[in-house]
Amino acid sequence: HDGRNCSTVPVNPAQLWSVTLNGAASYPVIAGGRIFVTTSAPGGSYGGSLYALDAQTGKTLWGPVALSGTYFYFPLAYGGGRVFVNDFDGTLRAFNAATGAQEWSTTTSYFSGEPVVSQDEVWVQGSGSVYGLSAKTGAIEVQTGYLDGDGAAPAVDKSGVYVSTGCQTQVKLSLSGETLWEDSNSCSGGGGASTALWRGLMYGGEGDKILDQSTGAVEGSFSGVPAFSGRTGFFASGSTVSALNVAKGNALVWSATLPAAVAAGPVVTSSAVWVGTSASTLVALSPA
């Protein structure tokens, strides 16, 4: 979740295509020349759909594949030729990325959030527990004990699973599910957010804390959604995007105020820092 992308999109990109789907769209996942996206059932009904689109033309390659479940948000992830779709109930489904055929379905627990795929494992947090499922079979291979909060989007690397969950609690788990360290406010309550990892630090979105990945020591705080490149962190909060030198105590490099609030991003490439705004505009900012 470091917000960094190696693509070479030019600063002034030309629109290639536009497509209208059957309902409000989720965030897109891009892999293997395809774009995977879920939609919500129109009219406020429960359920939704899953699509695969050609990245160059926008043509529907397969879908809509019907998705059932409580409510209408279906977060997704990609790994190893499969698309993984979760729902509020914690029913995680795996689809063949080439054909759209469902390969398996496993239910964990409700209040579940965005799936994360790493090293042939799919990670989700439901109501308290974090689950690690086999990406190939859907078997639950890891289930932690109760952790405060729910629906967090963990970050995973070879050192462990990092979760920013309820009551501004930050947790590092081993890949087998043991708690390695925990920074807790000794309270209880729901909630959970996305976690980003960059150069040995954990950026926990629940409470906006910066912690040392190895020890859990609190190193500082941040504000907004982060993206990173080299020594610079880019943080979007409201209608402001700020660049900070994360190698030198988060010293301010620059700050830009946009005419509308940031609704998506930032994503940083070699050419620009990209954000989508609530005014339905795409903005490219110079990283320098």
Side-chain angles (χ1 to χ4, degrees):
H1 298 158
D2 59 26
R4 184 172 181 271
N5 190 280
C6 297
S7 65
T8 54
V9 179
V11 175
N12 296 301
Q15 180 173 300
L16 295 178
W17 51 262
S18 175
V19 62
T20 300
L21 305 177
N22 67 354
S26 69
Y27 56 86
V29 171
I30 308 167
R34 300 186 174 204
I35 294 177
F36 304 98
V37 64
T38 64
T39 60
S40 303
S45 301
Y46 287 1
S49 302
L50 170 66
Y51 288 85
L53 309 176
D54 185 284
Q56 291 301 312
T57 66
K59 177 184 177 182
T60 298
L61 298 175
W62 51 257
V65 174
L67 302 171
S68 61
T70 304
Y71 304 127
F72 20 73
Y73 178 51
F74 298 92
L76 69 164
Y78 172 90
R82 297 179 180 90
V83 183
F84 304 93
V85 181
N86 199 24
D87 62 21
F88 171 86
D89 304 309
T91 300
L92 188 65
R93 303 173 179 94
F95 298 88
N96 185 292
T99 67
Q102 182 172 309
E103 296 187 358
W104 54 258
S105 175
T106 302
T107 299
T108 56
S109 61
Y110 62 95
F111 280 121
S112 198
E114 286 82 1
V116 174
V117 188
S118 178
Q119 303 172 72
D120 295 326
E121 203 86 2
V122 189
W123 298 91
V124 294
Q125 187 195 21
S127 53
S129 294
V130 171
Y131 298 84
L133 290 77
S134 166
K136 295 180 179 179
T137 68
I140 297 175
E141 298 180 329
V142 178
Q143 179 178 352
T144 69
Y146 178 80
L147 298 174
D148 194 57
D150 48 66
V156 185
D157 66 11
K158 292 181 179 180
S159 70
V161 182
Y162 299 81
V163 190
S164 182
T165 187
C167 269
Q168 303 180 17
T169 298
Q170 321 298 325
V171 182
K172 178 182 180 179
L173 306 168
S174 72
L175 295 177
S176 55
E178 295 87 5
T179 298
L180 299 179
W181 54 252
E182 179 177 359
D183 177 78
S184 175
N185 286 340
S186 300
C187 66
S188 61
S194 182
T195 295
L197 304 177
W198 188 252
R199 295 197 169 188
L201 296 175
M202 169 187 177
Y203 289 76
E206 177 74 19
D208 295 339
K209 289 184 177 180
I210 306 172
L211 300 95
D212 184 285
Q213 280 186 235
S214 297
T215 66
V218 177
E219 300 288 343
S221 63
F222 68 100
S223 178
V225 178
F228 302 92
S229 180
R231 297 184 173 211
T232 308
F234 305 92
F235 300 86
S237 178
S239 59
T240 301
V241 179
S242 299
L244 307 179
N245 188 326
V246 293
K248 293 186 176 181
N250 286 341
L252 181 66
V253 178
W254 55 256
S255 180
T257 301
L258 307 181
V262 175
V267 172
V268 58
T269 67
S270 59
S271 60
V273 180
W274 304 90
V275 292
T277 77
S278 59
S280 298
T281 57
L282 177 65
V283 178
L285 303 170
S286 167

